[in-house]
Amino acid sequence: MKIVLRRLSRSMLPGALLSAVLLAPLPVMLAQSAVAAPAAPMSLSAQDQAIVAKVEEYLNDITTLQSKFLQVAPNGRQATGTFYLWRPGRMRLEYDRPLKDFIVADGSFVFYWDGEMRQQSSAPIGSTLADFILRKNIRLSGDVTVTEVFQAPGVIEVSLLETKDPGKGTLTLVFEDRPFQLRKWRVLDAQGMTTEVALLNPRTDVTFDREMFYFKEPARGSDFGRGN
């Protein structure tokens, strides 16, 4: 508990913020703050249903993805880094200097390394919003509820939340229409704060070393831990 509270106390720092609102469980936040009311589920039109089906197909077709990212915190502070995805179950986010924070999912757990405090915290993937994108079969129904589908020239947005626990927050996926690809996501957390992560020049069908997706505490003086 002390680790979580300490990490949340510096949640305005870019490196800690993504972990707090996207990946970590939120019981501490929910206990200490008013929970923002989640959007009510919408009735999907035939056109919306076609868009949702297209999003599902696109996401399920991704096995590996690598991209630079730009993260914008609720207070406007920015951070950059590299995002690695290897479905199902594996993910890694590394922030650029001067931050030394990183996040890694190994198929079972999500690990967050606070580079300033040199502390590690973790949670089962299934208890986090990251579970949605890391699943073997991604479905925008059942335990996930679509709350909004928005379409504008060149842009499609799909907002969703966890059906049984909407207090975890709302995740909005933003797609470029032509060619159809994921360009960013936004997370609205339980405190009503929004964090946005934009993907810069994402590449799919990338080959990764499996060891990238195991947590290892970094040695003193090094930036990121990698598996042995």
Side-chain angles (χ1 to χ4, degrees):
M1 180 67 72
K2 291 182 180 179
I3 292 177
V4 174
L5 289 172
R6 178 179 280 173
R7 175 158 52 85
L8 292 177
S9 70
R10 54 188 292 265
S11 64
M12 287 299 98
L13 295 177
L17 187 60
L18 181 60
S19 176
V21 300
L22 176 58
L23 299 173
L26 300 176
V28 175
M29 284 186 175
L30 297 179
Q32 295 183 348
S33 63
V35 179
M42 64 179 295
S43 178
L44 299 182
S45 66
Q47 183 178 7
D48 292 336
Q49 292 175 10
I51 290 174
V52 169
K54 185 175 183 178
V55 169
E56 287 180 338
E57 181 180 7
Y58 167 82
L59 294 175
N60 280 304
D61 281 345
I62 294 176
T63 299
T64 58
L65 182 147
Q66 178 176 336
S67 180
K68 294 293 292 182
F69 68 82
L70 171 65
Q71 176 184 312
V72 181
N75 63 353
R77 294 188 65 179
Q78 298 183 357
T80 59
T82 305
F83 173 63
Y84 308 90
L85 175 69
W86 187 0
R87 298 183 52 251
R90 299 179 181 88
M91 176 183 68
R92 189 176 187 97
L93 294 95
E94 295 180 351
Y95 290 91
D96 294 334
R97 285 178 175 271
L99 298 173
K100 296 184 178 180
D101 297 4
F102 66 89
I103 297 164
V104 60
D106 65 3
S108 298
F109 287 85
V110 178
F111 298 87
Y112 168 71
W113 175 253
D114 185 323
E116 179 180 322
M117 305 302 297
R118 290 195 60 81
Q119 291 180 333
Q120 175 259 113
S121 54
S122 63
I125 289 176
S127 69
T128 73
L129 284 176
D131 176 58
F132 161 73
I133 197 70
L134 296 179
R135 297 174 178 181
K136 182 177 181 180
N137 297 307
I138 296 175
R139 295 175 58 247
L140 302 184
S141 60
D143 59 351
V144 172
T145 296
V146 174
T147 59
E148 184 177 8
V149 175
F150 171 79
Q151 188 171 17
V155 178
I156 292 173
E157 299 187 6
V158 177
S159 298
L160 51 97
L161 48 73
E162 184 175 324
T163 304
K164 292 184 179 180
D165 193 359
K168 283 184 179 179
T170 300
L171 173 64
T172 298
L173 303 175
V174 182
F175 298 86
E176 179 183 4
D177 194 8
R178 296 179 182 179
F180 191 82
Q181 61 179 329
L182 179 66
R183 298 305 308 207
K184 66 176 66 175
W185 65 77
R186 292 192 298 270
V187 175
L188 174 65
D189 74 3
Q191 295 172 302
M193 297 191 300
T194 299
T195 298
E196 182 171 281
V197 178
L199 301 181
L200 311 176
N201 300 317
R203 296 182 294 131
T204 56
D205 298 325
V206 186
T207 300
F208 295 132
D209 183 343
R210 184 179 295 269
E211 303 300 323
M212 289 178 57
F213 302 94
Y214 292 105
F215 175 81
K216 180 182 179 182
E217 181 174 322
R220 294 274 180 181
S222 65
D223 285 349
F224 305 116
R226 299 289 179 96
N228 294 320

